[in-house]
Amino acid sequence: LIGVLKEVGEKSPLITVDSDCKPEDRAARRAYVGTNNKEAGRVAGRIAKLLRPDGGNWIGFVGTEDADNARSRIEGFVEGAGKGFTRLDVLQDLHDQAKARENVRASLSKPANLLFGIYSYNAPALAEVVADAGQREKFRMVTFDAEENTLRAIEKGEIDATVVQNTYDMGAQCAVLLQAYDKEDVGTVKSLLGEGTELDTKVRV
């Protein structure tokens, strides 16, 4: 879509929300509103380090690894977890939830001790498959987002932690920013973005 987005951006303020353009295409948009995914990944990595102080091997699960939010979360996770952790694999499911579960099953026999669910639906897949296989004690699990099944899994002790985006705030701040651009309200734009082009809506754990 980037070609179309560039055309739109030439005519009116274009804002990306939740997942940004690739760095080389960011001139097409006026601003990004959402999670700083690299920092969110660092948070997940620091949690992994708390859960496995001695480090270990990790496997990630994601829809598409080359998506900007996925790539940034993985890079941040590696930084946050530190040198004690080794990436064994990152398995893509191309947004197919059956494939997401299949990827988890295929990973159970690998020499990993930490599983990292990068997209929201990866968390329930991890919880379900690992519990069904009776291998919960083998793995620590760090995930993203607050799907109902994810929160239920945390209550049951099937997932250790999840990093949650402030999605309501994304929408609200996006509306405020678009209105400020429409009214040419430079003061509001600057109060939201500072001197940059990104509005980080933070995460919770």
Side-chain angles (χ1 to χ4, degrees), residues 94-187:
L94 303 180
H95 309 282
D96 180 336
Q97 296 194 27
K99 177 65 173 174
R101 284 167 171 75
E102 182 183 318
N103 285 345
V104 178
R105 281 190 288 271
S107 300
L108 297 181
S109 60
K110 295 183 180 180
N113 63 0
L114 189 133
L115 305 178
F116 178 32
I118 300 164
Y119 278 2
S120 62
Y121 59 83
N122 293 125
L126 284 165
E128 178 187 314
V129 173
V130 172
D132 286 350
Q135 296 198 36
R136 178 65 178 102
E137 292 305 312
K138 179 180 176 181
F139 301 107
R140 292 290 170 261
M141 288 183 275
V142 181
T143 65
F144 264 89
D145 299 326
E147 286 198 9
E148 184 178 346
N149 288 341
T150 302
L151 298 181
R152 190 177 296 118
I154 287 176
E155 289 176 357
K156 292 166 67 178
E158 294 174 346
I159 291 175
D160 294 289
T162 191
V163 178
V164 180
Q165 302 178 89
N166 291 309
T167 51
Y168 180 91
D169 202 34
M170 288 183 200
Q173 297 291 3
C174 181
V176 171
L177 187 56
L178 282 172
Q179 187 176 52
Y181 280 135
D182 183 56
K183 293 184 176 182
E184 298 183 357
D185 182 351
V186 177

Coordinates of all heavy atoms in Angstrom, one line a residue, residues 94-187:
L94 N 1.9 -16.4 9.3 CA 1.2 -15.6 8.3 C -0.3 -15.4 8.7 O -1.2 -15.4 7.9 CB 1.3 -16.4 7.0 CG 2.7 -16.6 6.5 CD1 2.7 -17.4 5.1 CD2 3.5 -15.3 6.4
H95 N -0.5 -15.1 10.0 CA -1.8 -14.8 10.6 C -2.8 -15.9 10.5 O -4.0 -15.7 10.6 CB -2.3 -13.5 9.9 CG -1.3 -12.4 9.9 ND1 -1.1 -11.6 11.0 CD2 -0.5 -11.9 8.9 CE1 -0.2 -10.7 10.7 NE2 0.2 -10.9 9.4
D96 N -2.3 -17.1 10.4 CA -3.1 -18.3 10.4 C -3.1 -18.9 11.8 O -2.0 -19.4 12.2 CB -2.6 -19.3 9.4 CG -3.4 -20.6 9.3 OD1 -4.1 -21.0 10.3 OD2 -3.4 -21.2 8.2
Q97 N -4.2 -18.9 12.6 CA -4.1 -19.3 13.9 C -3.9 -20.8 14.1 O -3.3 -21.3 15.1 CB -5.4 -18.9 14.7 CG -5.5 -17.3 14.7 CD -6.5 -16.8 15.7 OE1 -6.9 -17.5 16.7 NE2 -7.1 -15.6 15.4
A98 N -4.4 -21.6 13.1 CA -4.1 -23.0 13.2 C -2.6 -23.3 13.0 O -2.0 -24.1 13.7 CB -4.8 -23.8 12.1
K99 N -2.0 -22.5 12.1 CA -0.5 -22.6 11.9 C 0.2 -22.1 13.1 O 1.3 -22.6 13.5 CB -0.1 -21.7 10.7 CG 1.4 -21.7 10.4 CD 2.0 -23.0 10.0 CE 3.4 -22.9 9.6 NZ 4.0 -24.2 9.3
A100 N -0.3 -21.1 13.8 CA 0.3 -20.6 15.0 C 0.4 -21.7 16.1 O 1.5 -21.9 16.7 CB -0.5 -19.4 15.6
R101 N -0.6 -22.5 16.2 CA -0.6 -23.6 17.2 C 0.4 -24.7 16.7 O 1.1 -25.3 17.5 CB -2.0 -24.2 17.4 CG -2.8 -23.3 18.2 CD -4.3 -23.6 18.2 NE -5.0 -22.9 19.2 CZ -5.3 -21.6 19.2 NH1 -5.0 -20.9 18.1 NH2 -6.0 -21.0 20.1
E102 N 0.4 -25.0 15.4 CA 1.3 -26.0 14.8 C 2.7 -25.6 15.1 O 3.6 -26.4 15.4 CB 1.0 -26.1 13.3 CG 1.8 -27.1 12.6 CD 1.6 -27.1 11.1 OE1 0.4 -27.0 10.7 OE2 2.6 -27.2 10.3
N103 N 3.0 -24.3 15.0 CA 4.4 -23.8 15.2 C 4.8 -24.1 16.7 O 6.0 -24.5 16.9 CB 4.5 -22.3 14.9 CG 4.6 -22.0 13.4 OD1 4.8 -22.9 12.6 ND2 4.4 -20.8 13.1
V104 N 3.9 -23.9 17.6 CA 4.2 -24.1 19.0 C 4.5 -25.6 19.2 O 5.5 -26.0 19.9 CB 3.0 -23.6 19.9 CG1 3.4 -24.0 21.4 CG2 2.8 -22.1 19.8
R105 N 3.6 -26.4 18.7 CA 3.8 -27.9 18.8 C 5.1 -28.3 18.3 O 5.8 -29.2 18.9 CB 2.7 -28.7 18.1 CG 1.4 -28.7 18.9 CD 0.4 -29.7 18.3 NE -0.2 -29.1 17.1 CZ -1.3 -28.4 17.0 NH1 -1.9 -28.1 18.1 NH2 -1.7 -27.9 15.9
A106 N 5.5 -27.7 17.1 CA 6.8 -28.1 16.5 C 8.0 -27.7 17.3 O 9.1 -28.2 17.1 CB 6.9 -27.5 15.1
S107 N 7.8 -26.7 18.3 CA 8.9 -26.2 19.1 C 9.1 -26.9 20.4 O 10.1 -26.7 21.0 CB 8.6 -24.7 19.3 OG 8.5 -24.0 18.1
L108 N 8.2 -27.7 20.8 CA 8.2 -28.3 22.1 C 9.4 -29.2 22.4 O 9.9 -29.3 23.5 CB 6.9 -29.1 22.4 CG 5.6 -28.2 22.4 CD1 4.5 -29.1 22.8 CD2 5.8 -27.1 23.4
S109 N 9.9 -29.8 21.3 CA 11.1 -30.7 21.4 C 12.4 -30.0 21.3 O 13.5 -30.7 21.4 CB 10.9 -31.8 20.4 OG 10.9 -31.3 19.1
K110 N 12.4 -28.7 21.0 CA 13.6 -28.0 20.8 C 14.2 -27.6 22.1 O 13.5 -27.4 23.1 CB 13.4 -26.8 19.9 CG 13.0 -27.2 18.5 CD 12.8 -26.0 17.6 CE 12.4 -26.4 16.2 NZ 12.2 -25.2 15.3
P111 N 15.5 -27.4 22.2 CA 16.2 -27.0 23.4 C 16.0 -25.6 23.9 O 17.0 -24.8 24.1 CB 17.7 -27.3 23.1 CG 17.8 -27.1 21.7 CD 16.5 -27.5 21.1
A112 N 14.8 -25.2 24.0 CA 14.4 -23.8 24.4 C 13.9 -23.9 25.8 O 13.3 -24.9 26.2 CB 13.4 -23.2 23.5
N113 N 14.0 -22.7 26.6 CA 13.4 -22.7 27.9 C 12.6 -21.4 28.0 O 12.0 -21.1 29.1 CB 14.4 -22.8 29.0 CG 15.4 -21.6 29.0 OD1 15.4 -20.7 28.2 ND2 16.3 -21.6 30.0
L114 N 12.4 -20.6 26.9 CA 11.6 -19.4 27.0 C 10.9 -19.3 25.6 O 11.6 -19.4 24.6 CB 12.4 -18.2 27.3 CG 11.6 -17.0 27.6 CD1 12.1 -16.2 28.8 CD2 11.6 -16.0 26.4
L115 N 9.6 -19.0 25.7 CA 8.8 -18.8 24.4 C 8.3 -17.4 24.4 O 7.8 -16.9 25.4 CB 7.7 -19.8 24.4 CG 8.1 -21.3 24.5 CD1 6.8 -22.2 24.5 CD2 9.1 -21.7 23.4
F116 N 8.4 -16.8 23.3 CA 8.0 -15.3 23.2 C 6.9 -15.2 22.1 O 7.1 -15.3 20.9 CB 9.3 -14.6 22.7 CG 9.1 -13.1 22.5 CD1 8.2 -12.3 23.3 CD2 9.9 -12.4 21.6 CE1 8.0 -11.0 23.1 CE2 9.8 -11.1 21.4 CZ 8.8 -10.3 22.1
G117 N 5.7 -14.9 22.6 CA 4.6 -14.6 21.7 C 4.5 -13.2 21.3 O 4.2 -12.3 22.1
I118 N 4.7 -12.9 20.0 CA 4.9 -11.5 19.6 C 3.6 -10.9 19.1 O 3.4 -9.6 19.3 CB 5.9 -11.5 18.4 CG1 7.2 -12.1 19.0 CG2 6.1 -10.1 17.9 CD1 8.3 -12.5 17.9
Y119 N 2.6 -11.6 18.6 CA 1.3 -11.1 18.2 C 0.2 -11.6 19.2 O 0.4 -12.6 19.9 CB 0.9 -11.5 16.8 CG 1.6 -10.6 15.7 CD1 2.4 -9.6 16.0 CD2 1.3 -10.9 14.4 CE1 3.0 -8.8 15.0 CE2 1.9 -10.1 13.4 CZ 2.7 -9.1 13.7 OH 3.3 -8.3 12.7
S120 N -0.9 -10.9 19.2 CA -1.9 -11.1 20.3 C -2.4 -12.6 20.3 O -2.5 -13.2 21.4 CB -3.1 -10.2 20.1 OG -3.7 -10.4 18.9
Y121 N -2.6 -13.2 19.1 CA -3.2 -14.5 19.1 C -2.1 -15.6 19.4 O -2.5 -16.7 19.6 CB -3.8 -14.8 17.8 CG -2.9 -14.7 16.6 CD1 -2.1 -15.7 16.2 CD2 -2.9 -13.5 15.8 CE1 -1.2 -15.6 15.1 CE2 -2.0 -13.3 14.7 CZ -1.2 -14.4 14.4 OH -0.3 -14.2 13.3
N122 N -0.8 -15.2 19.4 CA 0.2 -16.2 19.7 C 0.2 -16.6 21.2 O 0.5 -17.7 21.5 CB 1.6 -15.6 19.4 CG 1.8 -15.4 17.9 OD1 2.2 -14.3 17.5 ND2 1.7 -16.5 17.1
A123 N -0.3 -15.7 22.0 CA -0.4 -15.9 23.5 C -1.3 -17.1 23.8 O -0.9 -18.1 24.4 CB -0.7 -14.7 24.2
P124 N -2.6 -17.1 23.4 CA -3.5 -18.2 23.7 C -3.0 -19.5 23.0 O -3.1 -20.6 23.6 CB -4.8 -17.8 23.0 CG -4.8 -16.3 23.0 CD -3.3 -15.9 22.8
A125 N -2.4 -19.4 21.8 CA -1.8 -20.6 21.2 C -0.7 -21.2 22.1 O -0.7 -22.4 22.3 CB -1.3 -20.2 19.8
L126 N 0.2 -20.4 22.6 CA 1.2 -20.9 23.5 C 0.7 -21.6 24.7 O 1.0 -22.7 25.1 CB 2.2 -19.7 23.9 CG 3.1 -19.2 22.8 CD1 3.7 -17.9 23.2 CD2 4.3 -20.3 22.6
A127 N -0.3 -20.8 25.4 CA -0.8 -21.4 26.6 C -1.5 -22.7 26.4 O -1.3 -23.7 27.1 CB -1.8 -20.4 27.2
E128 N -2.3 -22.8 25.3 CA -3.1 -24.0 25.1 C -2.2 -25.2 24.7 O -2.4 -26.3 25.3 CB -4.1 -23.7 23.9 CG -4.9 -24.9 23.5 CD -5.7 -24.6 22.2 OE1 -6.4 -23.5 22.2 OE2 -5.8 -25.4 21.3
V129 N -1.3 -25.0 23.8 CA -0.5 -26.1 23.3 C 0.4 -26.6 24.4 O 0.6 -27.8 24.6 CB 0.2 -25.7 22.0 CG1 1.2 -26.8 21.6 CG2 -0.7 -25.4 20.9
V130 N 1.1 -25.7 25.1 CA 2.0 -26.1 26.1 C 1.3 -26.8 27.3 O 1.8 -27.8 27.8 CB 2.8 -24.9 26.6 CG1 3.7 -25.3 27.8 CG2 3.7 -24.3 25.5
A131 N 0.2 -26.3 27.7 CA -0.6 -26.9 28.7 C -1.1 -28.3 28.3 O -1.0 -29.3 29.1 CB -1.8 -26.1 29.1
D132 N -1.6 -28.4 27.1 CA -2.1 -29.7 26.6 C -1.0 -30.8 26.6 O -1.2 -31.9 26.7 CB -2.7 -29.6 25.2 CG -4.1 -28.9 25.3 OD1 -4.6 -28.7 26.4 OD2 -4.6 -28.5 24.2
A133 N 0.3 -30.3 26.3 CA 1.4 -31.2 26.2 C 2.0 -31.5 27.6 O 2.9 -32.3 27.7 CB 2.5 -30.6 25.3
G134 N 1.5 -30.8 28.6 CA 2.0 -31.1 29.9 C 3.4 -30.6 30.1 O 4.2 -31.2 30.9
Q135 N 3.8 -29.5 29.4 CA 5.2 -29.1 29.4 C 5.4 -27.7 30.0 O 6.4 -27.0 29.8 CB 5.8 -29.1 28.0 CG 5.9 -30.5 27.5 CD 6.9 -30.6 26.3 OE1 7.9 -30.0 26.3 NE2 6.6 -31.5 25.4
R136 N 4.4 -27.3 30.8 CA 4.5 -25.9 31.4 C 5.7 -25.7 32.2 O 6.3 -24.6 32.2 CB 3.2 -25.7 32.3 CG 3.2 -24.3 33.0 CD 3.1 -23.2 32.0 NE 3.0 -21.9 32.7 CZ 4.0 -21.0 32.8 NH1 5.2 -21.3 32.2 NH2 3.9 -19.9 33.4
E137 N 6.2 -26.7 32.9 CA 7.4 -26.4 33.8 C 8.7 -26.2 33.0 O 9.6 -25.6 33.5 CB 7.6 -27.6 34.7 CG 6.5 -27.8 35.8 CD 6.3 -26.5 36.6 OE1 7.4 -26.0 37.1 OE2 5.2 -26.0 36.8
K138 N 8.7 -26.7 31.7 CA 9.9 -26.5 30.9 C 10.1 -25.1 30.4 O 11.2 -24.6 30.2 CB 9.7 -27.5 29.7 CG 10.9 -27.4 28.7 CD 10.7 -28.3 27.5 CE 11.9 -28.2 26.5 NZ 11.7 -29.1 25.3
F139 N 9.0 -24.4 30.3 CA 9.0 -23.1 29.6 C 8.6 -21.9 30.5 O 7.6 -22.0 31.2 CB 8.2 -23.1 28.3 CG 8.5 -24.1 27.3 CD1 7.7 -25.2 27.1 CD2 9.7 -24.0 26.5 CE1 8.1 -26.2 26.2 CE2 10.0 -24.9 25.6 CZ 9.2 -26.0 25.4
R140 N 9.2 -20.8 30.3 CA 8.7 -19.5 30.7 C 8.1 -18.8 29.5 O 8.7 -19.0 28.4 CB 9.7 -18.6 31.4 CG 10.2 -19.2 32.8 CD 9.0 -19.1 33.8 NE 9.3 -19.8 35.0 CZ 8.9 -21.0 35.3 NH1 8.1 -21.7 34.4 NH2 9.2 -21.6 36.4
M141 N 7.0 -18.1 29.6 CA 6.4 -17.5 28.4 C 6.1 -16.0 28.6 O 5.4 -15.7 29.6 CB 5.1 -18.3 28.1 CG 5.4 -19.7 27.5 SD 3.9 -20.6 27.1 CE 3.5 -21.3 28.7
V142 N 6.5 -15.2 27.7 CA 6.3 -13.8 27.7 C 5.5 -13.5 26.4 O 5.9 -14.0 25.3 CB 7.6 -13.0 27.7 CG1 7.3 -11.5 27.7 CG2 8.4 -13.4 29.0
T143 N 4.5 -12.8 26.5 CA 3.6 -12.5 25.3 C 3.2 -11.1 25.2 O 3.7 -10.2 25.9 CB 2.3 -13.4 25.4 OG1 1.5 -12.9 26.5 CG2 2.7 -14.9 25.6
F144 N 2.4 -10.8 24.2 CA 1.9 -9.4 23.9 C 0.4 -9.4 24.0 O -0.3 -10.4 23.6 CB 2.4 -8.9 22.6 CG 3.6 -8.1 22.7 CD1 4.9 -8.6 22.6 CD2 3.5 -6.7 22.9 CE1 6.0 -7.9 22.7 CE2 4.7 -5.9 23.0 CZ 5.9 -6.5 22.9
D145 N -0.2 -8.3 24.4 CA -1.6 -8.0 24.3 C -2.4 -8.7 25.4 O -2.0 -9.5 26.1 CB -2.1 -8.2 22.9 CG -1.4 -7.3 21.9 OD1 -1.0 -6.1 22.3 OD2 -1.2 -7.7 20.8
A146 N -3.7 -8.2 25.4 CA -4.6 -8.6 26.5 C -5.8 -9.2 26.0 O -6.9 -8.9 26.4 CB -4.9 -7.4 27.4
E147 N -5.7 -10.2 25.1 CA -6.9 -10.9 24.7 C -7.5 -11.6 25.9 O -6.8 -12.0 26.9 CB -6.5 -12.0 23.6 CG -6.2 -11.4 22.3 CD -6.3 -12.5 21.2 OE1 -6.7 -13.6 21.5 OE2 -5.9 -12.1 20.0
E148 N -8.8 -11.8 25.9 CA -9.5 -12.5 27.0 C -8.9 -13.8 27.4 O -8.6 -14.1 28.5 CB -11.0 -12.6 26.7 CG -11.8 -13.2 27.8 CD -13.3 -13.3 27.5 OE1 -13.7 -12.7 26.4 OE2 -14.0 -14.0 28.2
N149 N -8.5 -14.6 26.3 CA -8.0 -15.9 26.6 C -6.5 -15.8 27.2 O -6.1 -16.7 28.0 CB -7.9 -16.8 25.3 CG -9.3 -17.3 24.9 OD1 -10.2 -17.3 25.7 ND2 -9.4 -17.6 23.7
T150 N -5.9 -14.7 26.9 CA -4.5 -14.5 27.4 C -4.6 -14.2 28.9 O -3.9 -14.7 29.7 CB -3.8 -13.4 26.7 OG1 -3.7 -13.7 25.3 CG2 -2.4 -13.1 27.2
L151 N -5.5 -13.3 29.2 CA -5.7 -12.9 30.7 C -6.1 -14.1 31.5 O -5.7 -14.3 32.6 CB -6.7 -11.8 30.8 CG -6.3 -10.5 30.1 CD1 -7.3 -9.4 30.3 CD2 -4.9 -10.0 30.6
R152 N -7.0 -14.9 30.9 CA -7.5 -16.2 31.6 C -6.3 -17.1 31.8 O -6.2 -17.7 32.9 CB -8.6 -16.8 30.8 CG -9.3 -18.0 31.5 CD -10.4 -18.5 30.7 NE -11.5 -17.6 30.5 CZ -11.8 -17.1 29.3 NH1 -11.3 -17.6 28.2 NH2 -12.8 -16.2 29.1
A153 N -5.4 -17.2 30.8 CA -4.2 -18.1 30.9 C -3.3 -17.6 32.0 O -2.7 -18.4 32.7 CB -3.5 -18.2 29.6
I154 N -3.2 -16.3 32.1 CA -2.3 -15.7 33.2 C -2.9 -16.1 34.5 O -2.2 -16.5 35.5 CB -2.1 -14.2 33.0 CG1 -1.2 -13.9 31.8 CG2 -1.6 -13.6 34.2 CD1 -1.0 -12.5 31.4
E155 N -4.2 -15.9 34.7 CA -4.9 -16.2 36.0 C -4.6 -17.7 36.3 O -4.5 -18.0 37.5 CB -6.4 -15.9 35.9 CG -6.7 -14.5 35.8 CD -8.2 -14.2 35.6 OE1 -8.9 -15.2 35.5 OE2 -8.6 -13.0 35.6
K156 N -4.6 -18.6 35.3 CA -4.4 -20.0 35.5 C -2.9 -20.4 35.7 O -2.6 -21.6 35.9 CB -5.1 -20.8 34.4 CG -6.6 -20.7 34.4 CD -7.2 -21.2 33.0 CE -6.9 -22.7 32.9 NZ -7.6 -23.1 31.6
G157 N -2.0 -19.4 35.5 CA -0.6 -19.7 35.6 C 0.0 -20.3 34.3 O 1.1 -20.9 34.4
E158 N -0.7 -20.2 33.2 CA -0.2 -20.8 32.0 C 0.6 -19.9 31.1 O 1.3 -20.4 30.2 CB -1.4 -21.3 31.1 CG -2.2 -22.4 31.8 CD -3.5 -22.8 31.1 OE1 -3.9 -22.0 30.2 OE2 -4.1 -23.8 31.4
I159 N 0.6 -18.6 31.5 CA 1.5 -17.6 30.8 C 2.1 -16.8 32.0 O 1.4 -16.5 33.0 CB 0.8 -16.7 29.9 CG1 0.3 -17.5 28.6 CG2 1.6 -15.5 29.4 CD1 -0.5 -16.7 27.7
D160 N 3.4 -16.4 31.9 CA 4.0 -15.7 33.0 C 3.7 -14.2 32.9 O 3.5 -13.6 34.0 CB 5.5 -15.9 32.9 CG 5.9 -17.4 33.2 OD1 5.8 -17.8 34.3 OD2 6.3 -18.1 32.2
A161 N 3.7 -13.6 31.7 CA 3.5 -12.2 31.7 C 3.1 -11.8 30.3 O 3.5 -12.5 29.3 CB 4.8 -11.4 32.1
T162 N 2.4 -10.7 30.2 CA 2.1 -10.1 28.8 C 2.3 -8.6 28.8 O 2.0 -8.0 29.8 CB 0.6 -10.5 28.4 OG1 0.4 -10.2 27.1 CG2 -0.4 -9.8 29.3
V163 N 2.8 -8.1 27.7 CA 3.0 -6.7 27.6 C 1.8 -6.1 26.8 O 1.5 -6.6 25.7 CB 4.3 -6.4 26.8 CG1 4.6 -4.9 26.6 CG2 5.5 -7.0 27.6
V164 N 1.1 -5.2 27.4 CA -0.1 -4.7 26.9 C 0.0 -3.3 26.3 O 0.4 -2.4 27.0 CB -1.2 -4.8 28.0 CG1 -2.6 -4.3 27.4 CG2 -1.3 -6.2 28.5
Q165 N -0.5 -3.1 25.1 CA -0.5 -1.8 24.5 C -1.8 -1.0 25.0 O -2.8 -1.6 25.4 CB -0.6 -1.9 23.0 CG 0.6 -2.7 22.4 CD 0.4 -2.8 20.9 OE1 0.9 -2.0 20.2 NE2 -0.2 -3.9 20.5
N166 N -1.6 0.3 25.0 CA -2.8 1.2 25.4 C -3.6 1.6 24.1 O -3.5 2.7 23.6 CB -2.3 2.4 26.1 CG -1.7 2.1 27.5 OD1 -2.3 1.4 28.2 ND2 -0.5 2.5 27.7
T167 N -4.3 0.6 23.6 CA -5.0 0.8 22.3 C -6.1 1.9 22.3 O -6.3 2.6 21.3 CB -5.6 -0.6 21.9 OG1 -6.4 -1.1 22.9 CG2 -4.5 -1.6 21.5
Y168 N -6.8 2.0 23.4 CA -7.8 3.1 23.5 C -7.1 4.5 23.3 O -7.5 5.3 22.6 CB -8.5 3.1 24.8 CG -9.5 4.2 25.0 CD1 -10.9 4.0 24.6 CD2 -9.2 5.4 25.5 CE1 -11.8 5.0 24.7 CE2 -10.1 6.4 25.6 CZ -11.4 6.2 25.2 OH -12.4 7.2 25.3
D169 N -5.9 4.6 24.0 CA -5.2 5.9 23.9 C -4.7 6.1 22.5 O -4.6 7.3 22.0 CB -4.0 5.8 24.9 CG -3.5 7.2 25.3 OD1 -4.4 8.1 25.3 OD2 -2.3 7.4 25.4
M170 N -4.4 5.1 21.8 CA -3.9 5.2 20.4 C -5.0 5.9 19.6 O -4.8 6.9 18.8 CB -3.7 3.9 19.7 CG -2.4 3.2 20.2 SD -2.2 1.7 19.2 CE -1.1 0.7 20.2
G171 N -6.3 5.4 19.7 CA -7.4 6.0 18.9 C -7.7 7.4 19.4 O -7.9 8.3 18.5
A172 N -7.7 7.6 20.7 CA -8.0 9.0 21.2 C -7.0 10.0 20.8 O -7.3 11.1 20.3 CB -8.1 8.9 22.7
Q173 N -5.7 9.7 20.9 CA -4.7 10.6 20.6 C -4.6 10.9 19.1 O -4.3 12.0 18.6 CB -3.3 10.1 21.1 CG -3.2 10.0 22.6 CD -3.2 11.4 23.3 OE1 -3.3 12.4 22.7 NE2 -3.0 11.3 24.6
C174 N -4.9 9.8 18.3 CA -4.9 10.0 16.9 C -6.0 11.0 16.5 O -5.8 11.9 15.6 CB -5.2 8.6 16.2 SG -5.3 8.7 14.4
A175 N -7.2 10.9 17.1 CA -8.3 11.8 16.8 C -7.9 13.3 17.1 O -8.1 14.2 16.4 CB -9.5 11.4 17.5
V176 N -7.2 13.4 18.3 CA -6.8 14.8 18.7 C -5.8 15.3 17.7 O -5.8 16.5 17.3 CB -6.2 14.7 20.1 CG1 -5.5 16.1 20.5 CG2 -7.3 14.4 21.1
L177 N -4.8 14.5 17.3 CA -3.8 14.9 16.4 C -4.3 15.3 15.0 O -4.0 16.3 14.4 CB -2.7 13.8 16.3 CG -1.4 14.2 15.5 CD1 -0.7 15.4 16.1 CD2 -0.5 13.0 15.5
L178 N -5.2 14.5 14.5 CA -5.8 14.8 13.2 C -6.6 16.1 13.2 O -6.5 16.9 12.3 CB -6.8 13.6 12.8 CG -6.1 12.4 12.2 CD1 -7.1 11.2 12.1 CD2 -5.4 12.6 10.9
Q179 N -7.3 16.3 14.3 CA -8.1 17.5 14.4 C -7.1 18.7 14.5 O -7.4 19.8 13.9 CB -8.9 17.5 15.7 CG -9.9 18.7 15.8 CD -10.8 18.6 17.0 OE1 -10.3 18.3 18.1 NE2 -12.1 18.7 16.8
A180 N -6.0 18.6 15.2 CA -5.0 19.6 15.3 C -4.4 20.0 13.9 O -4.2 21.1 13.6 CB -3.9 19.3 16.3
Y181 N -4.1 18.9 13.2 CA -3.6 19.2 11.8 C -4.7 19.9 11.0 O -4.4 20.8 10.2 CB -3.3 17.8 11.1 CG -1.9 17.3 11.5 CD1 -1.8 15.9 11.8 CD2 -0.8 18.1 11.6 CE1 -0.6 15.4 12.2 CE2 0.5 17.5 11.9 CZ 0.6 16.2 12.2 OH 1.8 15.6 12.6
D182 N -5.9 19.5 11.1 CA -7.0 20.1 10.3 C -7.2 21.5 10.6 O -7.4 22.4 9.7 CB -8.3 19.3 10.6 CG -9.5 19.8 9.7 OD1 -9.3 19.8 8.5 OD2 -10.5 20.2 10.3
K183 N -7.0 21.9 11.9 CA -7.2 23.3 12.3 C -5.8 24.1 12.3 O -5.8 25.2 12.7 CB -7.7 23.3 13.7 CG -9.2 22.8 13.8 CD -9.7 22.9 15.2 CE -11.2 22.5 15.3 NZ -11.7 22.6 16.6
E184 N -4.8 23.4 11.8 CA -3.4 24.0 11.8 C -3.1 24.5 13.2 O -2.5 25.6 13.3 CB -3.4 25.1 10.7 CG -3.6 24.6 9.3 CD -3.5 25.7 8.3 OE1 -3.3 26.8 8.6 OE2 -3.7 25.3 7.1
D185 N -3.4 23.7 14.2 CA -3.1 24.0 15.6 C -1.7 23.5 15.9 O -1.5 22.4 16.4 CB -4.1 23.4 16.5 CG -4.0 23.7 18.0 OD1 -2.9 24.3 18.3 OD2 -4.8 23.3 18.7
V186 N -0.7 24.4 15.6 CA 0.7 24.0 15.8 C 1.0 23.7 17.2 O 1.8 22.8 17.5 CB 1.6 25.1 15.2 CG1 3.1 24.7 15.4 CG2 1.4 25.3 13.7
G187 N 0.4 24.4 18.1 CA 0.7 24.2 19.6 C 0.3 22.8 20.0 O 1.1 22.2 20.7

